[in-house]
Amino acid sequence: MPLKLNSSDNNFDQNFTNFLNIKRDEEKNVDDEVREIIRQVRDKGDEALKDYTKKFDNWNAESLKVAPEKLQQSYETCNRHYVQAMQMAVQRVTDFHQKTYPEGFAYQDEEGLRLGMRYTPIERVGVYIPGGKAAYLSSAYMSIVPAKVAGVNHITAVVPHMNGECNAMLLATLHHLGVTDVWAIGGAQAIAALAYGTESITAVDMIAGPGNIYVATAKKQLYGKVGIDMIAGPSEILVLSDSTTNPKWTALDLLAQAEHDPMAQSVLISTEQDHIDAVLAEMAQMLPTLSRRDIIEKSWKNYGAVIKVKDWDEAIIYVNKIAPEHLQISLKEAYDFAHHVKHAGAIFIGKNSCGAMSDYSAGPSHVLPTNHSARFASVLSTQNFLKRTSILECSEEALIHLSENTATLAEIENLDAHKKSMEIRLESLGS
């Protein structure tokens, strides 16, 4: 059974704190193992990649490059119904991200100092596409489309091939996205190859895309050598629901999140015990009919939670403390409630809005901050793939206006060269 909390209980605060501190990453510490994998790939390049592919993915690779012809063939032979659904999703995601591209600015103050900000795309981006428990073709376009819209010149995709095989629809998606630099590698070794490059793979400037604990640890260790989008952990949803929503709908929203991964987390908050009981009953009835019930059972039993609150004003406090990856607001006054939410990766407003729509075809990326990191992190967008550069152009009038103040501050910090760099310019004005 999931964890059950009631805000009216005397020990609620401590129990809620314990809930927030639940560790959902895999228990084993992989730091040393990942560090060694990175070292081997850095030092031995393609040889290390082939060794790890044999060890972890169970196949001997003559070449790790996925031929563009194979991508095209996968696209041409795929079920057209699937292809059309993917194309529609890609177009919607593209349309959304075209609206997220930030505009630079420039202005001139009264003293003639011109200031501004401009955005330029990162040159080379590597995208990790998971290939473990399911075919994550949606992760391909959710990560790649924002990069393409941002204007990234070169995208390298890495996709694990278990036993040398990969989902054909995923390869078809890469073809549709115009990505031709695709490699059949996964795990920490793929992240290392993207960061350092090998004889065959050109190093990138940034790595994006979700993955398992080995991938996340490698991204963390290599941050600084390359940029990263975020450290994404197991997925999660927080559903706010009351009797205005069909309990079957709420039950399926919770089950849908739990089927992602045994470490996924589904949380229900409600003011009504009768509604909570109805949702739990629906979940119990529907669970045996689902193909991934074993995964759902582990997720729901180990990490699921039900929280009964006195009222929705109180619920807002706990929502912002949880800072969920996905927040589903299935309430009559859902829009008003959403205005009070400070911390959430994605918000689904109203009972007709659900996580499945966000995962596949609504428009925003489904690559989101997890594990309470929505307190400081954001959904993946074009801005992750853009660099901000400040611009400064100083006229003689501005130099005169700012020089004394600047020289004073430099003197306080005992930085003589800074001070003199201003003074010499002033002297030249008088000559």
Side-chain angles (χ1 to χ4, degrees):
M1 289 293 293
L3 177 67
K4 293 185 178 180
L5 302 175
N6 189 319
S7 66
S8 298
D9 292 344
N10 292 332
N11 58 350
F12 174 78
D13 288 343
Q14 183 59 54
N15 290 336
F16 183 76
T17 298
N18 293 340
F19 161 72
L20 291 179
N21 292 330
I22 290 175
K23 182 176 175 58
R24 289 190 296 123
D25 291 329
E26 296 180 40
E27 291 300 323
K28 59 183 178 180
N29 188 319
V30 301
D31 283 348
D32 291 342
E33 188 177 353
V34 168
R35 193 170 289 109
E36 176 61 16
I37 291 172
I38 291 172
R39 188 185 70 81
Q40 290 288 336
V41 174
R42 182 194 63 201
D43 294 346
K44 298 182 179 179
D46 288 345
E47 178 187 349
L49 289 180
K50 291 182 179 180
D51 288 344
Y52 284 124
T53 297
K54 181 179 180 180
K55 178 179 179 180
F56 296 129
D57 296 342
N58 195 36
W59 65 293
N60 287 302
E62 293 184 9
S63 173
L64 294 169
K65 177 74 184 252
V66 180
E69 295 79 15
K70 183 176 181 180
L71 301 175
Q72 182 175 356
Q73 182 183 25
S74 298
Y75 179 82
E76 292 173 349
T77 57
C78 260
N79 182 297
R80 302 321 293 173
H81 177 68
Y82 293 153
V83 169
Q84 290 169 6
M86 176 269 292
Q87 289 174 331
M88 186 198 78
V90 168
Q91 187 58 55
R92 291 190 58 84
V93 175
T94 301
D95 292 343
F96 175 85
H97 284 285
Q98 285 174 340
K99 295 176 174 62
T100 71
Y101 198 106
E103 293 185 8
F105 64 88
Y107 69 95
Q108 181 170 316
D109 62 23
E110 294 178 357
E111 289 75 30
L113 187 66
R114 293 181 59 83
L115 301 169
M117 183 81 74
R118 73 177 184 186
Y119 293 86
T120 53
I122 292 170
E123 287 286 327
R124 304 184 70 91
V125 168
V127 176
Y128 189 94
I129 305 169
K133 295 181 177 66
Y136 295 101
L137 63 100
S138 57
S139 289
Y141 58 78
M142 289 293 185
S143 297
I144 291 171
V145 167
K148 290 180 68 70
V149 173
V152 174
N153 284 331
H154 190 94
I155 296 174
T156 301
V158 290
V159 188
H161 281 49
M162 291 302 298
N163 302 308
E165 299 295 328
C166 184
N167 182 273
M169 188 63 214
L170 174 52
L171 298 181
T173 301
L174 292 172
H175 175 77
H176 178 68
L177 293 170
V179 178
T180 58
D181 191 16
V182 182
W183 298 85
I185 51 176
Q189 61 272 24
I191 303 301
L194 290 172
Y196 283 104
T198 69
E199 301 92 326
S200 301
I201 300 173
T202 302
V204 301
D205 304 308
M206 176 187 171
I207 300 173
N212 63 16
I213 189 172
Y214 287 88
V215 171
T217 302
K219 288 170 70 176
K220 187 184 300 184
Q221 290 185 9
L222 287 165
Y223 176 64
K225 171 65 177 175
V226 290
I228 61 172
D229 52 349
M230 65 184 75
I231 303 296
S235 193
E236 63 206 31
I237 193 169
L238 170 56
V239 180
L240 306 173
S241 185
D242 61 16
S243 56
T244 64
T245 299
N246 187 326
K248 289 184 178 180
W249 293 24
T250 299
L252 277 170
D253 288 338
L254 295 167
L255 292 167
Q257 191 64 36
E259 74 178 346
H260 276 293
D261 186 279
M263 290 179 290
Q265 184 175 69
S266 300
V267 179
L268 171 64
I269 291 182
S270 184
T271 59
E272 305 171 25
Q273 188 61 51
D274 287 346
H275 183 65
I276 290 173
D277 293 341
V279 171
L280 294 178
E282 292 291 350
M283 292 180 72
Q285 183 175 348
M286 287 186 279
L287 178 57
T289 69
L290 300 173
S291 61
R292 292 168 69 86
R293 59 184 175 274
D294 291 342
I295 292 174
I296 296 171
E297 283 178 345
K298 292 177 182 177
S299 166
W300 184 233
K301 176 183 177 181
N302 295 329
Y303 304 111
V306 177
I307 304 174
K308 183 178 182 298
V309 294
K310 290 179 290 187
D311 53 46
W312 293 115
D313 287 339
E314 185 180 58
I316 291 168
I317 297 172
Y318 303 127
V319 168
N320 285 320
K321 287 184 177 181
I322 295 171
E325 177 190 17
H326 304 98
L327 176 63
Q328 165 75 45
I329 309 176
S330 293
L331 308 174
K332 183 178 180 180
E333 305 298 333
Y335 193 81
D336 291 339
F337 188 98
H339 280 292
H340 298 283
V341 176
K342 298 178 181 178
H343 310 303
I347 302 175
F348 313 140
I349 300 175
K351 60 187 178 182
N352 291 325
S353 310
C354 62
M357 190 181 299
S358 170
D359 280 347
Y360 294 109
S361 57
S365 176
H366 71 201
V367 181
L368 294 156
T370 63
N371 195 31
H372 317 305
S373 63
R375 295 174 296 115
F376 55 82
S378 307
V379 59
L380 190 75
S381 76
T382 55
Q383 296 181 47
N384 290 87
F385 303 99
L386 294 167
K387 299 177 279 93
R388 297 184 301 276
T389 303
S390 60
I391 306 296
L392 183 155
E393 181 183 353
C394 190
S395 65
E396 290 185 356
E397 292 79 9
L399 175 63
I400 295 170
H401 180 75
L402 290 174
S403 60
E404 182 177 354
N405 187 67
T406 301
T408 298
L409 294 171
E411 184 176 2
I412 291 171
E413 294 189 349
N414 199 29
L415 296 175
D416 292 345
H418 279 67
K419 179 181 178 181
K420 292 181 181 299
S421 72
M422 296 296 296
E423 292 174 341
I424 196 171
R425 284 172 168 78
L426 282 177
E427 291 170 5
S428 70
L429 295 180
S431 59

